[in-house]
Structure formats: structure tokens, C-alpha cells
Amino acid sequence: VQLQASGGGMVQAGGSLRLSCAASVRTFSNYPVGWFRQSPQKEREFVVGISASGELTWYADSVKGRFTVSRDNAKNTVSLQMNNLKPEDTAVYYCAVGRLFDTRREHYNYWGQGTQVTVSS
């Protein structure tokens, strides 16, 4: 399984970005997907998860109401729309394919390379 995250960049506070994660796996629709982020000197933290079917989502409290996750299983892609970005959202964002629809990193087997998001104040 290979994951390719894209869409990161630099925006001002209040701005928006849309991240995408493309997966090279035939049975993509069988797997939940998570987005995590890591900023310098911090542990990688859960941002949002989406179930295999896309019917269930799970957001970290810090991003609820601002971020929206979706997936297109026909295209093997997951998107993360990030609105009203804040400086504290600055991090490298990773997508990951997991065994369980869960917030814990250990339940995600495959990880993309990450894409940098920088939000200036």
C-alpha cells in the first residue's frame, strides 16, 4: 500500500486548504483512513478518521466545525477540507490506512509521506 498526501501549503489565519490522500490499494474501500499531524517537538496526534464506507467520521475536538473529511472509494482518495485555519494547525499532516476505525496510531498500518501546512498569524 502506498499513500500520497498533497495539498499542503502556507496560508494566513482564517484561510483554507484542502488536503488529498491518494492510495494505491485495490481494496481501499475496506479500510478506514485517518489524518494525523505532527508539529516540531510534539507527538503525532489524531486529527480525523473516516470509516471504510465513509458513513462514520471522528474529529478531534480541536478541529470540529472547521475541518471536513470525505472519501471517494471509486477513486481511492480521501480529502480533508480545512477552513478557518489557525496558527496552531501548523504541522506536517499525514494520512494513514488502518485496521480499525480508531484514533490511535497503532491501529494504522500504512502511512503517507506527509504534507506541510503552515498557518501564519
Side-chain angles (χ1 to χ4, degrees), residues 47-62:
V47 177
V48 61
I50 185 165
S51 63
S53 66
E55 292 180 356
L56 300 176
T57 57
W58 194 342
Y59 293 90
D61 288 343
S62 58

Side-chain angles (χ1 to χ4, degrees), residues 1-5 21-25 28 33 95-97 110-114:
V1 176
Q2 290 188 326
L3 300 172
Q4 181 74 36
C21 177
S24 62
V25 57
F28 180 68
V33 173
C95 60
V97 167
Y110 303 99
W111 293 78
Q113 84 290 358

Side-chain angles (χ1 to χ4, degrees), residues 77-106:
T77 59
V78 174
S79 297
L80 180 63
Q81 178 66 40
M82 307 186 296
N83 297 329
N84 191 21
L85 283 161
K86 303 176 180 181
E88 51 263 43
D89 295 318
T90 296
V92 178
Y93 283 70
Y94 299 88
C95 60
V97 167
R99 301 186 304 273
L100 295 176
F101 178 50
D102 197 86
T103 64
R104 290 168 287 184
R105 287 179 295 170
E106 57 265 35

Side-chain angles (χ1 to χ4, degrees), residues 5 10 13 19 23 27 34 41 44-45 47 51 58 60 73 84 96-97 104 115 117-118:
M10 185 178 297
L19 305 184
T27 56
Q41 301 176 344
R44 194 169 298 188
E45 64 174 0
V47 177
S51 63
W58 194 342
N73 284 339
N84 191 21
V97 167
R104 290 168 287 184
T115 185
V117 171
T118 303

Side-chain angles (χ1 to χ4, degrees), residues 15-20 35 59 63 66-70 79-85:
S16 299
L17 284 173
R18 186 177 181 87
L19 305 184
S20 293
W35 284 96
Y59 293 90
V63 305
R66 300 188 297 122
F67 290 13
T68 303
V69 66
S70 60
S79 297
L80 180 63
Q81 178 66 40
M82 307 186 296
N83 297 329
N84 191 21
L85 283 161

